[in-house]
Amino acid sequence: QYFKMAKDAPRQKKPDLVSRDYTIHLSKRTHKTTFKKKAPRAIKEIRKFATEAMGTKDVRIDSKLNKYIWSRGVRNIPNRVRVRLSRKRNEDEDAEEKLYTIAQLVEVTSFKGLQTENVEA
């Protein structure tokens, strides 16, 4: 008696164009980092987070988000940041990846009780 495997069932395709708001806890991700590398490390960690969350290697960081991270200098980065990650289609025909992610700053007064939210584009 054999069972049919689930792989024969039609798989639902993930929507490629999607936007979500995330809170990234930067102090957790840059803990024990040398002062002079804190802000650059924070930017790298945002890229890494976006890659894992959206599944695209190409992550672009908005200039406002970059300015916010660097606003207090190289070593005193904000503890948390609210980020809108949007998966978009690449316009270049010759790009190796069809999709890219853009990370934008979402300004909030408080991070208390915020959840990950889907945003209607």
Side-chain angles (χ1 to χ4, degrees), residues 26 39 42-43 46 65-73 77-78 81:
L26 289 176
I43 298 291
I46 291 172
L65 176 59
N66 190 47
K67 279 204 169 58
Y68 178 74
I69 300 298
W70 283 87
S71 61
R72 301 194 295 192
I77 60 166
V81 63

Side-chain angles (χ1 to χ4, degrees), residues 1-108:
Q1 180 169 348
Y2 293 102
F3 296 103
K4 205 164 204 171
M5 294 301 290
K7 68 180 176 201
D8 298 340
R11 289 184 60 199
Q12 265 192 323
K13 197 171 160 283
K14 277 192 286 188
D16 30 331
L17 306 175
V18 68
S19 294
R20 291 191 204 101
D21 285 359
Y22 293 94
T23 302
I24 304 177
H25 192 177
L26 289 176
S27 59
K28 175 175 85 174
R29 292 162 198 273
T30 59
H31 181 61
K32 288 192 171 175
T33 305
T34 313
F35 273 159
K36 290 294 182 186
K37 295 180 182 167
K38 254 196 156 70
R41 162 68 80 192
I43 298 291
K44 284 186 190 110
E45 288 294 332
I46 291 172
R47 271 184 206 282
K48 188 173 147 197
F49 181 90
T51 301
E52 287 169 16
M54 289 297 186
T56 63
K57 285 196 190 77
D58 185 2
V59 177
R60 301 171 192 184
I61 290 184
D62 188 47
S63 57
K64 279 187 182 148
L65 176 59
N66 190 47
K67 279 204 169 58
Y68 178 74
I69 300 298
W70 283 87
S71 61
R72 301 194 295 192
V74 69
R75 54 187 234 179
N76 298 318
I77 60 166
N79 284 338
R80 286 180 174 79
V81 63
R82 188 78 170 162
V83 173
R84 177 162 296 154
L85 298 180
S86 310
R87 201 184 302 135
K88 305 221 168 151
R89 224 172 251 121
N90 230 334
E91 300 304 321
D92 296 347
E93 292 302 317
D94 51 316
E96 62 260 18
E97 286 216 38
K98 290 187 184 75
L99 300 169
Y100 70 93
T101 303
I102 185 138
Q104 296 166 305
L105 176 68
V106 179
E107 291 180 10
V108 290

